[in-house]
Amino acid sequence: MSSSAWWRDAAIYQVYPRSFRDSNGDGEGDLQGVIAGLPYLADLGIDAIWLSPFYKSPNKDGGYDVADPRDVDPRFGTLADAKELIEAAHSHGIKFIADIVPNHFSSDHIWFQEALNSPKGSVARSRFHFYDGRGENGEIPPNNWISIFRGPAWTRTPDGQWYLHLFDSSQPDLNWNNPDVAADFEKTLRFWLDLGVDGFRIDVAHGAVKENLLVDHRDPERLIDALRLDFLDISEEERAGLLSDVPFFDREGVHEVYRKWRSILNEYPGDRMTVAEAFVYPSSRAARYVREGELHQVFNFNFMMLGWDAATMRASIERTLAELVDVKAPATWVLNNHDTPRVVTRIGGARKARALAMLIHALPGGIYIYQGEELGLPSADLPDNARQDPAFIRSGGTDKGRDECRVPIPWDSKLPNYGYGTGTPWLPQPTDWAQYSMDVEAADPDSSWSLYKKSLTLRHSHPALGGEGVPTWIEAPAGIMHFTREPGLEVVVNTTDNQITVAVSGSSILLESAAGSSLQGGQLAIAANTTTWLQR
Ligand code: NOJ
């Protein structure tokens, strides 16, 4: 790996393929739809796409229930389509990152079917976590853990044993102590690397290895509250107490798995990379996933969970960069994904979301953009009868689930379903989304899309943008974040609802997230909830 490897400061665009673009009119996005969207993504200026799973799956959890990790689900297309997509992305200068799910398989996977049909204590069962229950007749699950989607984390099989599933009952957890599991994942990595993928996003990267599997947790319900990425009302202190020791997450054994994976990636040319979905506590634990010889990037979820406040964001940025210095890994910045509310909704409106995007685009390291974020899409209102997320179903509707951020995206204001496809979209699109359609936004120089395009273009052309290192902070009035990066960039972020005047050294405005600021005689009167990039 070279120190200037492409992924260290790349802008990586997350495609949730089911909701991106539907080429065959069945109401579900597919790989040919992604191919059709590539010119648009190239125009936007992204460096890579990460595709959420498109593997064979009964689709109980949006494809994160993988029934065959080395084949494509017919609803998305064929293996030939996947190959065509990887090649087409490359021909547009876009790298391709696949998703890999080591924590669990689908219950439709041949191994699990074999396990169900095999006796207690068999090798087939030892690939998962099968145990006898407690109580006189084994009717009580082996421990009291709760699924992340609510309800018990154990399901009983007809012969009386129970199996562990941290997510839906259709997602049995794999037992990484069984060498078959490691061998199979190595095969999967090589399969996709041989097909030309440039990297992997690793699902629940901190989860594969469990400890104390037969021990009850002191407060399993509250633990699941604390693990949610969607900002439940929980104090930092309580969250810290619960997250500092999760028996099924962030165990030492996971690192051995990733050291092996890294050695496999290193066999391939071209700076292949990995990014870990590892929500661990405290944040310094995340750096352990990107130590030398392990993974390349880890999503910065701690920053993603913050509100729009200059002081807390600055503290988090400084902490993130400091935590990664020793391991020499670049930071990542992410505002939302297919599991969280959309940033516009979470942060309190499009204006703040645009300013926040321009903040993270100016920071050292890599950025992630979730499809539709560039259009400024809010989370969509959905009727309960449209919701499909297992989190909604398993919680009996008390948890609304994640469908609101997964609604198919709008391409063309003049076409049915906003050009997503001709069939009825699998989740209903709001009636007021023509305003966010790509054709409308591309024609408007002040749209969110145009801002993202300008910002991503500058990230490629301006010598101070992208890259690594640390910003130079300048003390600023309350509610203002102010820093410079060399050579020649000055960034001012106003997180307040008032215009504030800040002394600056920049001589011209390069880009601003909203109009309304003015620069005169070294004084920037920066409008409310705005980020401004200045040229020094
Ligand atoms: C994290 C994925 O992002 C989410 O969508 C999925 O439900 C869980 N992991 C389980 O795979």
Side-chain angles (χ1 to χ4, degrees), residues 366-428:
I367 56 171
Y368 281 81
I369 298 167
Y370 174 49
Q371 68 179 33
E373 176 193 323
E374 77 284 15
L375 301 171
L377 287 184
S379 295
D381 285 334
L382 287 174
D384 279 357
N385 64 8
R387 295 179 197 271
Q388 303 192 17
D389 186 352
F392 174 76
I393 298 164
R394 286 179 62 90
S395 70
T398 54
D399 177 345
K400 291 291 176 200
R402 302 159 294 175
D403 295 306
E404 293 175 2
C405 63
R406 298 175 176 180
V407 170
I409 62 172
W411 291 83
D412 189 327
S413 58
K414 299 173 295 301
L415 293 177
N417 313 315
Y418 309 116
Y420 159 72
T422 53
T424 306
W426 70 279
L427 285 172

Side-chain angles (χ1 to χ4, degrees), residues 61 64 104 149 167 201 203-204 277 338-339 402 406:
D61 181 25
Y64 283 95
H104 45 267
F149 296 156
F167 296 91
R201 175 264 189 191
D203 189 65
V204 205
E277 187 211 29
H338 65 293
D339 293 330
R402 302 159 294 175
R406 298 175 176 180

Side-chain angles (χ1 to χ4, degrees), residues 43 45 73 96 118 131 139 366 415 456 475:
D43 188 31
D73 195 86
F96 186 97
S118 300
Y131 287 96
E139 70 283 8
L415 293 177
L456 295 176
E475 285 319 313

Side-chain angles (χ1 to χ4, degrees), residues 9-265:
D9 64 353
I12 300 180
Y13 184 97
Q14 181 190 356
V15 172
Y16 191 72
R18 198 177 180 195
S19 303
F20 187 69
R21 200 164 156 137
D22 168 21
S23 74
N24 63 0
D26 66 357
E28 309 232 13
D30 44 49
L31 297 185
Q32 283 298 332
V34 183
I35 293 172
L38 285 173
Y40 153 77
L41 295 176
D43 188 31
L44 182 62
I46 52 116
D47 302 303
I49 48 176
W50 143 40
L51 255 77
S52 284
F54 47 84
Y55 317 117
K56 209 158 242 171
S57 164
N59 200 22
K60 295 272 172 36
D61 181 25
Y64 283 95
D65 46 325
V66 178
D68 183 348
R70 298 185 287 277
D71 202 358
V72 172
D73 195 86
R75 82 167 49 95
F76 290 118
T78 61
L79 254 184
D81 292 327
K83 207 160 177 266
E84 187 185 332
L85 169 56
I86 296 165
E87 281 163 12
H90 288 163
S91 71
H92 279 95
I94 294 173
K95 307 275 187 193
F96 186 97
I97 298 169
D99 214 308
I100 191 161
V101 188
N103 184 67
H104 45 267
F105 274 158
S106 159
S107 50
D108 279 10
H109 190 283
I110 187 174
W111 277 7
F112 192 71
Q113 290 304 314
E114 196 185 330
L116 286 181
N117 293 323
S118 300
K120 285 184 187 183
S122 56
V123 172
R125 285 209 172 180
S126 76
R127 294 177 181 137
F128 300 90
H129 298 288
F130 277 87
Y131 287 96
D132 289 333
R134 297 174 294 178
E136 213 174 307
N137 302 305
E139 70 283 8
I140 304 171
N143 73 17
N144 69 349
W145 293 359
I146 302 286
S147 147
I148 289 163
F149 296 156
R150 307 290 162 168
W154 298 88
T155 290
R156 203 168 191 194
T157 57
D159 70 357
Q161 276 210 308
W162 298 78
Y163 66 88
L164 176 73
H165 51 87
L166 290 183
F167 296 91
D168 190 47
S169 55
S170 65
Q171 294 165 294
D173 280 49
L174 286 158
N175 176 11
W176 277 81
N177 291 326
N178 181 319
D180 289 355
V181 175
D184 194 72
F185 273 83
E186 286 167 30
K187 205 164 152 188
T188 299
L189 288 172
R190 290 183 192 282
F191 179 87
W192 292 104
L193 288 166
D194 289 340
L195 270 189
V197 307
D198 300 286
F200 298 95
R201 175 264 189 191
I202 305 171
D203 189 65
V204 205
H206 52 322
V209 175
K210 278 93 186 167
E211 281 175 16
N212 298 328
L213 254 171
L214 297 180
V215 178
D216 278 349
H217 189 267
R218 65 191 143 85
D219 194 351
E221 288 280 0
R222 209 52 187 152
L223 174 62
I224 300 303
D225 288 346
L227 283 167
R228 288 176 53 141
L229 282 178
D230 57 354
F231 330 112
L232 197 100
D233 188 14
I234 186 166
S235 73
E236 196 43 38
E237 201 185 349
E238 187 184 359
R239 190 193 288 278
L242 287 158
L243 295 193
S244 54
D245 186 28
V246 185
F248 43 80
F249 282 160
D250 199 24
R251 302 288 108 185
E252 200 49 42
V254 293
H255 295 283
E256 197 184 316
V257 174
Y258 300 131
R259 279 191 286 273
K260 176 68 194 171
W261 286 20
R262 178 60 180 259
S263 73
I264 293 173
L265 262 75

